[in-house]
Amino acid sequence: MTKNSAQPEVDAQTHSIAAAAQSVGVSVQTVRLYELRGLINPARTSGGTRRYHAEDLVRLKQISDLIERGVNLAGIGIILELEAENEGLREELAARPQRVSTA
């Protein structure tokens, strides 16, 4: 194994946990807690370093906004699950052929 292959891959489109936390205005420990609770699932390099994509940052902001509104972490988990289910149903409906009215 070469020295370079031991280095984590850094994608220009991803962010470190510190940058992700700073962009949302929370601590690194808070972001780790969100991950522990299953609210966020960042990508990992082959070395295990967390890498956050733009979608992750949007989700972190959404979690932060819900916290500010007084929703606890369990409630946030339920909200996020329902939103994902709702989005899946929307996509399923959009993929269905349109019925033509014969009135």
Side-chain angles (χ1 to χ4, degrees):
M1 182 182 279
T2 66
K3 195 175 208 179
N4 288 341
S5 66
Q7 296 293 324
E9 305 87 26
V10 178
D11 181 348
Q13 302 301 319
T14 64
H15 308 277
S16 68
I17 190 170
Q22 183 179 16
S23 75
V24 181
V26 298
S27 70
V28 168
Q29 292 79 11
T30 298
V31 176
R32 286 188 184 123
L33 174 64
Y34 296 164
E35 182 182 357
L36 181 66
R37 295 290 179 99
L39 301 175
I40 189 110
N41 188 18
R44 299 252 183 185
T45 65
S46 59
T49 303
R50 294 171 179 90
R51 300 305 300 173
Y52 295 84
H53 294 90
E55 301 84 23
D56 297 318
L57 300 182
V58 168
R59 190 169 180 114
L60 283 171
K61 178 67 174 140
Q62 183 181 16
I63 293 167
S64 181
D65 290 346
L66 288 167
I67 295 261
E68 286 179 14
R69 294 174 70 184
V71 181
N72 65 24
L73 293 180
I76 291 171
I78 292 167
I79 290 168
L80 295 176
E81 285 175 17
L82 289 171
E83 286 183 348
E85 182 179 338
N86 199 5
E87 183 60 30
L89 291 171
R90 281 191 189 114
E91 291 172 3
E92 195 177 302
L93 279 172
R96 287 184 181 176
Q98 297 293 324
R99 289 187 174 178
V100 178
S101 178
T102 58

